[in-house]
Amino acid sequence: MTLDFSLSQVKIPPRHLDRKAVISMRQSSPQHVREPLDRQRTQRTLLHRAAHLGWHPERIDVFDGALGQSAAGVEERDDFQALAAAVALGHVGMVFGWQVSRLARNNAEWYQLLD
């Protein structure tokens, strides 16, 4: 017996679809920001995927305020804090992203999201 865990077979519970879907865009190098074609393509792909899974376009938010900010610095990342708060308050049903390992800078930030 084989199990199919592809996203085409995923059924998102209505309680998640009632919440927002968040597209997290994280590209830290200035070159990524100057040459945005890949970012735009990625964002469109993730928006399409969220809609395909059942989110209404008005319920999909894009968090891209960290574009061009290196995770190595100490500057505030308002988008990450807003995302963590929205998740903690139960406003987010799913977070979409490419290279999500770069979403959080350290374990403490990951735990903040997972908690």
Side-chain angles (χ1 to χ4, degrees):
M1 178 169 126
T2 61
L3 298 175
D4 183 4
F5 291 109
S6 66
L7 284 179
S8 64
Q9 300 299 314
V10 171
K11 295 193 186 314
I12 308 296
R15 71 179 187 275
H16 291 281
L17 292 171
D18 289 341
R19 301 173 187 170
K20 292 185 178 255
V22 173
I23 309 299
S24 177
M25 300 301 298
R26 177 84 178 99
Q27 293 175 310
S28 59
S29 80
Q31 179 180 356
H32 287 147
V33 177
R34 283 192 306 270
E35 300 171 10
L37 294 179
D38 284 339
R39 181 185 69 85
Q40 291 170 358
R41 191 175 308 119
T42 300
Q43 182 175 320
R44 279 194 306 272
T45 300
L46 293 173
L47 286 166
H48 177 72
R49 191 62 179 150
H52 176 75
L53 289 172
W55 272 273
H56 191 277
E58 293 176 1
R59 306 278 313 147
I60 302 171
D61 288 344
V62 176
F63 282 47
D64 62 359
L67 291 176
Q69 292 183 7
S70 171
V74 294
E75 60 271 337
E76 292 295 319
R77 296 187 332 159
D78 294 335
D79 264 10
F80 180 81
Q81 293 304 322
L83 173 61
V87 168
L89 291 170
H91 297 166
V92 176
M94 187 176 292
V95 177
F96 293 82
W98 238 264
Q99 295 180 321
V100 293
S101 62
R102 299 180 69 214
L103 176 63
R105 291 189 223 189
N106 54 46
N107 287 340
E109 286 185 348
W110 272 114
Y111 294 140
Q112 186 179 4
L113 275 178
L114 295 174
D115 190 33

